[in-house]
Amino acid sequence: MNERYTRHIQLEEIGLSGQQKLNKAKVLVIGAGGLGCPILQYLNVSGIGTLGIVDFDTVSISNLHRQILFNQNDVGKNKAVVAKEKLLQLNPETHIDIFTFPLTEDNCLEIINEYDIVVDGTDNFVTRYLINDACVMLNKPVVFGALYKFEGQVSVFNYQNGPNYRCLFPIPPSAGEIPNCNEIGVLGILPGIIGLLQANEVIKIILDLGEVLSGKILYINTLNYQHRLVKFKKNEETFNEIRRKEKPEIVSTNDCLFVNSISLKNIRMDDNIVWIDVRELHETPEICNDKILKIPLQAFDNKLQISDNSSKKIFYCQSGIRSQKATQIAINKGFKHCYSLKEGAEELREWLTGKK
């Protein structure tokens, strides 16, 4: 190992053997945009031996406020091609493969199979589900990141027999349900923060350091620095469903849902609340409380029978995503005082039992 990695090697938790592990690792980064740029830069200079970059898109002026590998002269050029050029200037020792075409159900297994770890730097649900399902089939860990305006999410899926993306988000949002991120905007600094956290998870996985974000999703709000770590459990049926198929299938969807939301910290125990559990009946943890109605989201349109009085109607699920969809349906049906719980079922159980 050369002088480039001296500060890594000086760390007793890494040392020469750890740096050699990084050098032998093969990491595929899907998306060379806002998230992909910081992920690629830090993995590259950290000594990852082989990087793969998947991106068919070209650089545009509107990318430059957050996609920090690119500059004015790169506009119109393919992102993967430009990223490779810039990264080799930073560290010519890294081997870099580029894929300048879209990831599809027909090529994803072949591409992903060549790498140890996959990093999801995409911005749409279609590709997220495709990546997840391919990695479940190939037993590859996925380091996930997502952005919304001033907020970001980070998690690790399919790691050491842990949950996959569908354990947390089993139902893709329907087309037209979710505002496109290109329309709502994003703080330019946010992809850098989330991308660096994703790169950190990759290095932890390779070196077996610390506590990997498996079975947990980290939510960060950059306006007030509130952090939430939501736990979720493995749903074995999602794995079985994926593995029954010969290859991943494209989901029909659009992009993201945000409605009236409320946090446990803003709720009093004596508030007049009807809790509505929109998870499937088999999901855990089970919460026993006489104020809880169980109405799985799958049957929501037909079985939404709640009294529309002055009580708050708070919908919850495993992580706060399905509950957003349920809240929107209830509001569309004319119900008042409807909220989606920001936290998940595990945190609600602890709050109701006073164990948190």
Side-chain angles (χ1 to χ4, degrees), residues 102-130:
L103 192 75
T104 70
E105 68 271 34
D106 294 317
N107 64 27
C108 60
L109 293 176
E110 182 180 359
I111 294 172
I112 290 172
N113 191 49
E114 298 301 313
Y115 296 87
D116 306 316
I117 301 168
V118 176
V119 189
D120 183 352
T122 64
D123 61 358
N124 67 87
F125 284 96
V126 171
T127 312
R128 286 174 187 164
Y129 280 94
L130 183 64

Side-chain angles (χ1 to χ4, degrees), residues 92-282:
E93 297 176 1
T94 303
H95 174 78
I96 300 176
D97 304 312
I98 59 173
F99 305 89
T100 59
F101 44 82
L103 192 75
T104 70
E105 68 271 34
D106 294 317
N107 64 27
C108 60
L109 293 176
E110 182 180 359
I111 294 172
I112 290 172
N113 191 49
E114 298 301 313
Y115 296 87
D116 306 316
I117 301 168
V118 176
V119 189
D120 183 352
T122 64
D123 61 358
N124 67 87
F125 284 96
V126 171
T127 312
R128 286 174 187 164
Y129 280 94
L130 183 64
I131 293 168
N132 177 77
D133 293 1
C135 288
V136 167
M137 290 178 174
L138 296 170
N139 197 27
K140 307 280 186 179
V142 182
V143 179
F144 163 81
L147 311 169
Y148 176 71
K149 295 177 72 172
F150 301 93
E151 299 181 6
Q153 307 168 8
V154 185
S155 188
V156 177
F157 302 117
N158 204 41
Y159 173 70
Q160 293 187 348
N161 204 34
N164 72 76
Y165 183 71
R166 288 182 185 268
C167 297
L168 185 60
F169 307 127
I171 303 172
S174 302
E177 238 176 46
I178 296 179
N180 189 290
C181 294
N182 289 329
E183 297 172 352
I184 58 175
V186 63
L187 179 69
I189 296 167
L190 180 63
I193 297 170
I194 301 301
L196 293 184
L197 290 173
Q198 288 180 266
N200 189 53
E201 291 302 297
V202 172
I203 290 174
K204 285 161 60 182
I205 291 170
I206 295 169
L207 299 178
D208 193 22
L209 279 178
E211 188 175 334
V212 173
L213 282 171
S214 176
K216 299 180 285 291
I217 184 166
L218 176 65
Y219 293 85
I220 297 177
N221 185 317
T222 57
L223 293 183
N224 52 27
Y225 285 104
Q226 288 186 348
H227 294 57
R228 291 191 293 123
L229 194 61
V230 177
K231 297 178 181 178
F232 59 98
K233 294 185 178 181
K234 182 178 182 179
N235 180 350
E236 197 66 48
E237 182 56 33
T238 65
F239 286 85
N240 296 335
E241 191 67 31
I242 293 168
R243 289 168 178 159
R244 289 189 191 108
K245 302 169 184 175
E246 292 184 3
K247 65 178 184 180
E249 297 176 355
I250 294 293
V251 299
S252 176
T253 180
N254 204 343
D255 281 87
C256 25
L257 178 68
F258 292 88
V259 295
N260 296 342
S261 60
I262 192 167
S263 176
L264 290 171
K265 67 180 182 180
N266 296 320
I267 301 172
R268 297 185 308 175
M269 193 65 74
D270 59 353
D271 282 350
N272 185 14
I273 296 172
V274 175
W275 299 96
I276 300 148
D277 184 351
V278 302
R279 298 175 299 160
E280 296 303 305
L281 297 178
H282 60 80

Side-chain angles (χ1 to χ4, degrees), residues 10-76:
Q10 287 175 330
L11 289 167
E12 62 179 81
E13 293 87 350
I14 298 179
L16 181 59
S17 62
Q19 192 60 48
Q20 289 171 336
K21 289 180 182 178
L22 294 173
N23 185 249
K24 292 177 182 178
K26 295 181 177 181
V27 179
L28 180 67
V29 180
I30 302 175
L35 291 171
C37 283
I39 292 166
L40 287 164
Q41 284 178 277
Y42 271 89
L43 292 182
N44 175 51
V45 298
S46 294
I48 299 298
T50 300
L51 282 174
I53 309 172
V54 180
D55 205 313
F56 67 93
D57 197 11
T58 56
V59 180
S60 66
I61 289 287
S62 63
N63 298 151
L64 301 182
H65 94 298
R66 66 193 183 284
Q67 299 182 17
I68 55 174
L69 269 176
F70 311 130
N71 60 43
Q72 188 82 21
N73 295 328
D74 300 320
V75 172

